Amino acid sequence: MANYVRTDLGGYTDLEQQVSWESILQWQVDMFLYSCYLYYVLDNPKLSDESFDDIVRILESNYDELPDRIKHVCEPGKIKETAHLFAHDLSEQEIEYALEWKNIKFT
């Protein structure tokens, strides 16, 4: 079982693995997108408001490094306000991942 700890910017990291910054940021983007789908489409959120806000803070503070997919929808400082726009923009595979992620239990 992985050992997760809360990071200074919010979110969690696995102490047992060395992970590149690009992978960490991509994971945050994925969790944001999955969360949007679960909340706005299924009305069944996985994350607390605080955890979602942590992810948004990470994305906002690294806006220039975000994929164009995010930057084309919202300008800096507006990620949380435009989150609902991402809910219906997931591929079938991303929806599958969101549903799988919904069932993961963190201990």
Side-chain angles (χ1 to χ4, degrees):
M1 170 91 25
N3 185 12
Y4 293 96
V5 296
R6 195 164 177 79
T7 66
D8 291 339
L9 290 175
Y12 294 86
T13 187
D14 182 345
L15 291 178
E16 297 172 10
Q17 298 182 38
Q18 293 292 329
V19 181
S20 70
W21 170 244
E22 292 80 14
S23 295
I24 292 169
L25 188 59
Q26 182 59 53
W27 187 82
Q28 298 295 324
V29 168
D30 291 345
M31 295 306 100
F32 170 76
L33 294 172
Y34 300 166
S35 294
C36 290
Y37 178 79
L38 294 172
Y39 182 82
Y40 291 105
V41 175
L42 299 183
D43 193 25
N44 191 1
K46 166 82 173 177
L47 298 178
S48 67
D49 289 344
E50 179 185 59
S51 293
F52 184 78
D53 289 347
D54 287 343
I55 289 174
V56 169
R57 262 191 298 284
I58 292 167
L59 298 182
E60 291 286 3
S61 64
N62 297 283
Y63 183 85
D64 291 339
E65 297 178 61
L66 296 179
D68 288 342
R69 174 184 191 176
I70 304 288
K71 295 190 287 189
H72 285 307
V73 174
C74 61
E75 58 191 55
K78 303 287 186 186
I79 292 175
K80 186 172 183 179
E81 295 159 5
T82 58
H84 65 283
L85 299 174
F86 296 98
H88 299 281
D89 192 35
L90 273 67
S91 68
E92 287 183 30
Q93 185 176 28
E94 288 172 321
I95 291 170
E96 282 181 38
Y97 290 152
L99 296 174
E100 288 174 14
W101 177 65
K102 172 69 179 157
N103 295 318
I104 293 173
K105 302 287 186 224
F106 290 98
T107 57

